[in-house]
Amino acid sequence: MDMNKRIHLELRNRTPSDVQELVLDNCRSNEGKVEGLTAEFVNLEFLSLINVGLISVSNLPKLGKLKKLELSDNRISGGLDVLAEKLPNLTHLNLSGNKLKDISTLEPLKKLGILKSLDLFNCEVTNLNDYRESVFKLLPQLTYLDGYDRGDREASDSDGEVDGDGVDDDEDEEGEEEEDEDGEEEDFDEEEDEEEDEDEEEVSGEDEEEDIGQDGEVDDDDDDDDEDEDEPEADKGEKRKRDPEDEDEDDDDEDDD
């Protein structure tokens, strides 16, 4: 499928201004040039033209919002000055697998003031002595060259991009993990406190039951003692009632005599 037809398919039920990402990989270019892409794609931010047979980017339209451009596995050997003129906000450029031989062919990229990442894998220019040092010196705005920074540290998946609040994605994930751990610890402490409170309530309940039982037993003993004390008083009363009668009988016996 040629590039022009592919673009028409991408625009089904859409207008060019609605498109933010456009992937035209493996399409056939027209005589090695971009075809069918116009300045009407005013909101385009990502454009991929991998392996489309490009030998020039001279007829790229002006795309003021384009940030990432994929041009790998083509036959581009120069003419990069067009990129700075028509893509002023470009931050990521992939030219790997092209016909770039000399450091001087990269000099027009100096005008891309916010270019952050440049890939030149499998280009002949990478075989030059001091290639990395020379490119970083030529393009001081670069953070990553072929996926590595000046200190040979590999770029992250997001190429070092940060969120809108200026915090790295990795830092966000670490913060969330720490918050999750803190939350789990707090929940665990609360569960332990609740279990301790339940244990204390059970123990206090058992103590109260024991106290009630002991009081009941004491009351029963007191009742028994009171009954025992009452019995001797009844016996004494009966004895006091019998004594006068006995004395009268004795007096009658003496009179008879």
Side-chain angles (χ1 to χ4, degrees), residues 19-84:
V19 180
Q20 292 183 321
E21 296 185 4
L22 187 59
V23 178
L24 304 173
D25 300 348
N26 303 313
C27 292
R28 293 190 303 271
S29 61
N30 182 21
E31 297 181 354
K33 296 181 180 181
V34 179
E35 182 185 24
L37 193 63
T38 68
E40 293 178 344
F41 290 83
V42 292
N43 292 313
L44 193 64
E45 296 182 2
F46 175 84
L47 175 61
S48 185
L49 296 166
I50 298 173
N51 189 33
V52 296
L54 288 182
I55 59 175
S56 173
V57 291
S58 59
N59 62 332
L60 269 174
K62 184 173 180 63
L63 301 169
K65 290 188 177 182
L66 194 72
K67 295 179 180 179
K68 295 185 178 183
L69 178 60
E70 292 280 347
L71 294 173
S72 59
D73 299 327
N74 286 291
R75 294 177 291 167
I76 299 169
S77 59
L80 301 181
D81 51 312
V82 174
L83 299 179

Side-chain angles (χ1 to χ4, degrees), residues 197-214:
D197 292 340
E198 290 176 358
D199 292 339
E200 291 177 358
E201 289 177 359
E202 289 177 359
V203 171
S204 61
E206 291 176 357
D207 292 340
E208 289 177 359
E209 289 177 359
E210 290 179 358
D211 293 339
I212 292 170
Q214 291 176 356

Side-chain angles (χ1 to χ4, degrees), residues 11-245:
L11 291 178
R12 285 179 300 181
N13 302 321
R14 293 195 295 176
T15 63
S17 61
D18 295 328
V19 180
Q20 292 183 321
E21 296 185 4
L22 187 59
V23 178
L24 304 173
D25 300 348
N26 303 313
C27 292
R28 293 190 303 271
S29 61
N30 182 21
E31 297 181 354
K33 296 181 180 181
V34 179
E35 182 185 24
L37 193 63
T38 68
E40 293 178 344
F41 290 83
V42 292
N43 292 313
L44 193 64
E45 296 182 2
F46 175 84
L47 175 61
S48 185
L49 296 166
I50 298 173
N51 189 33
V52 296
L54 288 182
I55 59 175
S56 173
V57 291
S58 59
N59 62 332
L60 269 174
K62 184 173 180 63
L63 301 169
K65 290 188 177 182
L66 194 72
K67 295 179 180 179
K68 295 185 178 183
L69 178 60
E70 292 280 347
L71 294 173
S72 59
D73 299 327
N74 286 291
R75 294 177 291 167
I76 299 169
S77 59
L80 301 181
D81 51 312
V82 174
L83 299 179
E85 293 174 6
K86 298 184 177 182
L87 312 175
N89 290 308
L90 201 64
T91 61
H92 292 68
L93 176 61
N94 190 341
L95 287 166
S96 60
N98 279 279
K99 305 296 183 181
L100 302 171
K101 298 180 180 181
D102 302 318
I103 295 291
S104 60
T105 59
L106 304 175
E107 190 164 356
L109 300 181
K110 294 171 64 175
K111 296 179 181 180
L112 289 170
I114 60 174
L115 186 65
K116 185 176 184 178
S117 176
L118 175 64
D119 287 328
L120 298 168
F121 288 115
N122 297 323
C123 293
E124 290 186 38
V125 68
T126 62
N127 297 323
L128 298 175
N129 292 332
D130 300 326
Y131 151 70
R132 287 181 59 79
E133 290 80 359
S134 299
V135 174
F136 273 122
K137 184 177 180 180
L138 178 67
L139 306 173
Q141 76 271 36
L142 282 184
T143 302
Y144 298 106
L145 175 61
D146 301 333
Y148 290 85
D149 65 10
R150 297 171 188 267
D152 288 332
R153 289 183 293 269
E154 188 174 5
S156 62
D157 292 338
S158 60
D159 291 336
E161 290 180 339
V162 297
D163 297 330
D165 57 2
V167 180
D168 288 338
D169 293 338
D170 293 339
E171 293 179 0
D172 283 343
E173 292 176 359
E174 291 176 0
E176 290 176 0
E177 290 177 358
E178 291 177 357
E179 289 178 359
D180 291 340
E181 290 177 358
D182 294 339
E184 290 176 359
E185 290 178 358
E186 290 177 0
D187 292 340
F188 182 71
D189 293 338
E190 289 178 358
E191 289 177 359
E192 285 186 342
D193 293 339
E194 290 177 357
E195 290 177 358
E196 290 177 358
D197 292 340
E198 290 176 358
D199 292 339
E200 291 177 358
E201 289 177 359
E202 289 177 359
V203 171
S204 61
E206 291 176 357
D207 292 340
E208 289 177 359
E209 289 177 359
E210 290 179 358
D211 293 339
I212 292 170
Q214 291 176 356
D215 293 341
E217 292 177 1
V218 171
D219 292 341
D220 292 340
D221 293 341
D222 292 341
D223 292 341
D224 294 339
D225 292 341
D226 292 341
E227 290 176 359
D228 293 340
E229 291 177 357
D230 292 341
E231 287 178 1
E233 290 178 357
D235 293 340
K236 291 177 182 179
E238 290 177 358
K239 289 179 181 179
R240 283 196 292 271
K241 289 178 182 179
R242 291 194 190 108
D243 288 341
E245 292 178 356

